[in-house]
Amino acid sequence: MNAREIQEQIDNLNYWDSEVLQLGVDYFGDEVTIVFDNTKLLFTGCIQVHINTDPQDRKIPIKTLTRKQLPYFMQSIEVTSFQTKSLAVVRFGGNKLPEPAEKFNLFKCKMLMPPLNVEIYCSSINIKRNII
């Protein structure tokens, strides 16, 4: 599936203003899971995960909040294509020289769920419906 097809599937979820119930990062950042309403987005083969929020958002530990107290509601999900090269580090004469290797076609996904912003670069996005 390409980025446009994934974006169409996500848009068809009518996710706007959905409660975000979970954001998990597992396996040293290889997988990211986001759950909202009755939908789960699973990002795998992740190479970068950026999570940004306002310091005010962390004054009270999130783990102490009840579901009704969680302040996150999905506002925007944008999926695009992204291409990068692998950098193999080669030792030559005591110096490390980066050597471009294989090209990778990845996805870049930006999500806005104020006060949280998430940006993920991954190799696949899986959408599961009716998980609750």
Side-chain angles (χ1 to χ4, degrees):
M1 222 180 315
N2 64 36
R4 184 184 53 76
E5 292 168 330
I6 292 171
Q7 183 70 57
E8 285 177 10
Q9 283 188 7
I10 289 173
D11 289 345
N12 287 334
L13 296 174
N14 295 314
Y15 64 84
W16 298 275
D17 293 325
S18 294
E19 284 183 278
V20 180
L21 306 173
Q22 177 187 347
L23 187 158
V25 179
D26 295 302
Y27 309 111
F28 300 95
D30 182 49
E31 288 186 1
V32 175
T33 304
I34 295 182
V35 176
F36 52 91
D37 284 346
N38 65 348
T39 302
K40 177 177 173 180
L41 299 180
L42 177 63
F43 303 87
T44 57
C46 300
I47 63 165
Q48 286 185 41
V49 178
H50 301 277
I51 301 170
N52 298 304
T53 193
D54 188 282
Q56 185 71 27
D57 184 42
R58 297 300 190 231
K59 284 182 81 172
I60 299 172
I62 301 302
K63 70 180 179 180
T64 65
L65 301 179
T66 66
R67 179 178 172 172
K68 289 182 180 184
Q69 292 174 312
L70 289 173
Y72 309 111
F73 292 86
M74 192 64 76
Q75 298 300 311
S76 170
I77 303 174
E78 179 185 321
V79 177
T80 56
S81 296
F82 177 78
Q83 190 175 72
T84 189
K85 291 182 182 179
S86 173
L87 287 180
V89 177
V90 178
R91 289 193 178 268
F92 181 75
N95 297 322
K96 289 183 181 179
L97 302 173
E99 179 181 293
E102 182 179 0
K103 287 184 181 179
F104 291 93
N105 294 314
L106 302 171
F107 298 108
K108 175 181 176 182
C109 185
K110 290 175 142 183
M111 289 168 279
L112 178 61
M113 50 187 105
L116 203 62
N117 296 311
V118 179
E119 187 172 279
I120 301 170
Y121 295 80
C122 63
S123 60
S124 76
I125 302 172
N126 187 318
I127 303 165
K128 293 184 181 179
R129 296 280 302 178
N130 302 317
I131 60 164
I132 296 174

